[in-house]
Every structure is written in structure tokens, then in C-alpha cells.
Coordinates of all heavy atoms in Angstrom, one line a residue:
I237 N 0.9 10.4 -11.7 CA 1.0 10.8 -10.3 C 2.2 10.2 -9.6 O 2.9 10.9 -8.9 CB -0.3 10.5 -9.5 CG1 -1.5 11.3 -10.1 CG2 -0.2 10.7 -8.0 CD1 -2.9 10.9 -9.5
V238 N 2.4 8.9 -9.8 CA 3.6 8.2 -9.3 C 4.9 8.9 -9.7 O 5.8 9.1 -8.9 CB 3.6 6.7 -9.7 CG1 4.9 6.0 -9.3 CG2 2.4 6.0 -9.0
A239 N 4.9 9.2 -11.0 CA 6.1 9.9 -11.6 C 6.3 11.2 -10.9 O 7.5 11.6 -10.5 CB 6.0 10.0 -13.1
G240 N 5.2 11.9 -10.7 CA 5.3 13.2 -10.0 C 5.9 13.1 -8.6 O 6.7 13.9 -8.2
V241 N 5.4 12.1 -7.9 CA 5.8 11.9 -6.5 C 7.3 11.5 -6.5 O 8.1 12.0 -5.6 CB 5.0 10.8 -5.8 CG1 5.6 10.4 -4.5 CG2 3.6 11.2 -5.6
V242 N 7.7 10.7 -7.5 CA 9.2 10.3 -7.5 C 10.0 11.5 -7.8 O 11.1 11.7 -7.2 CB 9.4 9.3 -8.7 CG1 10.8 9.1 -8.9 CG2 8.7 7.9 -8.3
V243 N 9.6 12.4 -8.7 CA 10.4 13.6 -9.1 C 10.5 14.5 -7.8 O 11.6 15.0 -7.5 CB 9.8 14.3 -10.3 CG1 10.4 15.7 -10.4 CG2 9.9 13.5 -11.5
I244 N 9.3 14.8 -7.2 CA 9.3 15.7 -6.0 C 10.2 15.1 -4.9 O 11.0 15.9 -4.3 CB 7.9 15.9 -5.5 CG1 7.1 16.7 -6.6 CG2 7.9 16.7 -4.2 CD1 5.6 16.8 -6.3
T245 N 10.1 13.8 -4.7 CA 10.9 13.2 -3.6 C 12.4 13.3 -4.0 O 13.2 13.6 -3.1 CB 10.5 11.7 -3.5 OG1 9.1 11.6 -3.2 CG2 11.3 11.0 -2.4
A246 N 12.8 13.1 -5.2 CA 14.2 13.2 -5.6 C 14.7 14.6 -5.5 O 15.8 14.8 -5.0 CB 14.3 12.7 -7.1
L247 N 13.9 15.6 -5.9 CA 14.3 17.0 -5.7 C 14.5 17.4 -4.3 O 15.4 18.1 -3.9 CB 13.3 17.9 -6.4 CG 13.2 17.8 -8.0 CD1 12.1 18.7 -8.5 CD2 14.5 18.2 -8.6
T248 N 13.6 16.9 -3.4 CA 13.6 17.2 -2.0 C 14.9 16.5 -1.4 O 15.6 17.2 -0.6 CB 12.4 16.7 -1.3 OG1 11.2 17.3 -1.9 CG2 12.4 17.0 0.2
M249 N 15.1 15.3 -1.7 CA 16.3 14.6 -1.2 C 17.6 15.2 -1.6 O 18.6 15.2 -0.9 CB 16.2 13.1 -1.5 CG 15.1 12.3 -0.8 SD 15.0 10.6 -1.4 CE 16.7 10.0 -0.9
S250 N 17.6 15.8 -2.8 CA 18.8 16.4 -3.3 C 19.0 17.8 -2.8 O 20.0 18.5 -3.1 CB 18.8 16.4 -4.9 OG 17.7 17.2 -5.3
G251 N 18.0 18.3 -2.1 CA 18.1 19.7 -1.5 C 17.7 20.8 -2.4 O 17.7 22.0 -2.1
I252 N 17.2 20.5 -3.6 CA 16.8 21.5 -4.6 C 15.5 22.1 -4.1 O 15.2 23.3 -4.2 CB 16.6 20.9 -6.0 CG1 17.9 20.4 -6.5 CG2 16.0 21.9 -7.0 CD1 17.9 19.7 -7.8
I253 N 14.6 21.3 -3.5 CA 13.3 21.8 -2.9 C 13.5 21.6 -1.4 O 13.8 20.6 -0.9 CB 12.1 20.9 -3.4 CG1 11.9 21.1 -4.9 CG2 10.9 21.4 -2.7 CD1 10.8 20.3 -5.5
S254 N 13.2 22.7 -0.7 CA 13.2 22.6 0.8 C 11.9 22.0 1.3 O 10.8 22.2 0.7 CB 13.4 24.0 1.4 OG 12.3 24.9 1.0
F255 N 12.0 21.4 2.4 CA 10.9 20.7 3.0 C 10.7 21.1 4.5 O 11.6 20.7 5.3 CB 11.0 19.2 2.8 CG 9.9 18.4 3.5 CD1 8.6 18.5 3.2 CD2 10.3 17.5 4.6 CE1 7.6 17.8 3.8 CE2 9.3 16.8 5.2 CZ 8.0 16.9 4.8
D256 N 9.7 21.8 4.8 CA 9.4 22.2 6.2 C 8.2 21.4 6.6 O 7.1 21.7 6.2 CB 9.1 23.7 6.3 CG 8.8 24.1 7.7 OD1 8.7 23.3 8.6 OD2 8.7 25.4 7.9
P257 N 8.4 20.3 7.3 CA 7.3 19.4 7.7 C 6.2 20.1 8.4 O 5.0 19.7 8.3 CB 8.0 18.3 8.5 CG 9.3 18.8 8.9 CD 9.7 19.8 7.9
V258 N 6.5 21.0 9.3 CA 5.5 21.7 10.1 C 4.6 22.5 9.2 O 3.4 22.5 9.3 CB 6.1 22.6 11.2 CG1 5.0 23.3 12.0 CG2 7.0 21.7 12.2
A259 N 5.2 23.3 8.3 CA 4.4 24.1 7.4 C 3.6 23.2 6.4 O 2.4 23.5 6.2 CB 5.3 25.0 6.5
V260 N 4.2 22.1 5.9 CA 3.4 21.2 5.1 C 2.3 20.6 5.8 O 1.1 20.5 5.3 CB 4.4 20.1 4.5 CG1 3.6 19.1 3.8 CG2 5.4 20.7 3.6
A261 N 2.5 20.2 7.1 CA 1.4 19.6 7.8 C 0.2 20.6 8.0 O -0.9 20.2 8.0 CB 1.9 19.1 9.2
K262 N 0.6 21.8 8.3 CA -0.5 22.8 8.4 C -1.3 23.0 7.2 O -2.5 23.0 7.2 CB 0.1 24.2 8.8 CG 0.7 24.2 10.3 CD 1.3 25.6 10.6 CE 1.9 25.6 12.0 NZ 2.6 26.9 12.3
Y263 N -0.6 23.1 6.0 CA -1.3 23.2 4.7 C -2.2 22.0 4.4 O -3.3 22.1 3.9 CB -0.3 23.5 3.6 CG 0.2 24.9 3.6 CD1 1.6 25.1 3.7 CD2 -0.6 26.0 3.7 CE1 2.2 26.4 3.7 CE2 -0.1 27.3 3.7 CZ 1.3 27.5 3.7 OH 1.8 28.8 3.7
V264 N -1.6 20.8 4.7 CA -2.4 19.6 4.4 C -3.6 19.5 5.3 O -4.7 19.1 4.8 CB -1.4 18.4 4.6 CG1 -2.3 17.1 4.5 CG2 -0.4 18.4 3.5
A265 N -3.5 19.9 6.6 CA -4.6 19.8 7.5 C -5.7 20.8 7.0 O -6.9 20.4 7.0 CB -4.2 20.2 8.9
I266 N -5.3 22.0 6.5 CA -6.3 22.9 6.0 C -6.9 22.3 4.7 O -8.2 22.4 4.5 CB -5.6 24.3 5.6 CG1 -5.2 24.9 6.9 CG2 -6.5 25.2 4.9 CD1 -4.3 26.2 6.7
A267 N -6.1 21.7 3.8 CA -6.6 21.2 2.6 C -7.6 20.1 2.8 O -8.7 20.0 2.2 CB -5.5 20.6 1.7
F268 N -7.3 19.1 3.7 CA -8.2 18.0 4.1 C -9.5 18.6 4.7 O -10.6 18.0 4.4 CB -7.5 17.0 5.0 CG -6.5 16.1 4.4 CD1 -5.8 15.2 5.2 CD2 -6.3 16.2 3.0 CE1 -4.8 14.4 4.6 CE2 -5.4 15.3 2.4 CZ -4.6 14.4 3.2
T269 N -9.4 19.6 5.5 CA -10.6 20.2 6.1 C -11.5 20.8 5.1 O -12.7 20.6 5.1 CB -10.2 21.2 7.2 OG1 -9.3 20.6 8.2 CG2 -11.4 21.7 7.9

């Protein structure tokens, strides 16, 4: 899991993966609920 978080973070910081915090927050709120 730690390795996965590191990879995702690296890809996001390099711009390969886009990160929309508002959209992510909505999905996480739904997931937690």
C-alpha cells in the first residue's frame, strides 16, 4: 500500500495523473458514507 501511494504521488506530481481535489473529495465523501 505504501509503495502504491508513493507511485501515485510521484505520477501526480509529475503531471502524468491529473488531480482535481474537489472531485476527489466528493468521491471520498461518498465512499466513506
Side-chain angles (χ1 to χ4, degrees):
I237 293 172
V238 171
V241 171
V242 169
V243 170
I244 292 172
T245 304
L247 292 175
T248 303
M249 291 176 60
S250 63
I252 297 174
I253 296 178
S254 62
F255 174 64
D256 181 351
V258 177
V260 171
K262 290 178 180 177
Y263 286 125
V264 171
I266 292 170
F268 283 177
T269 304

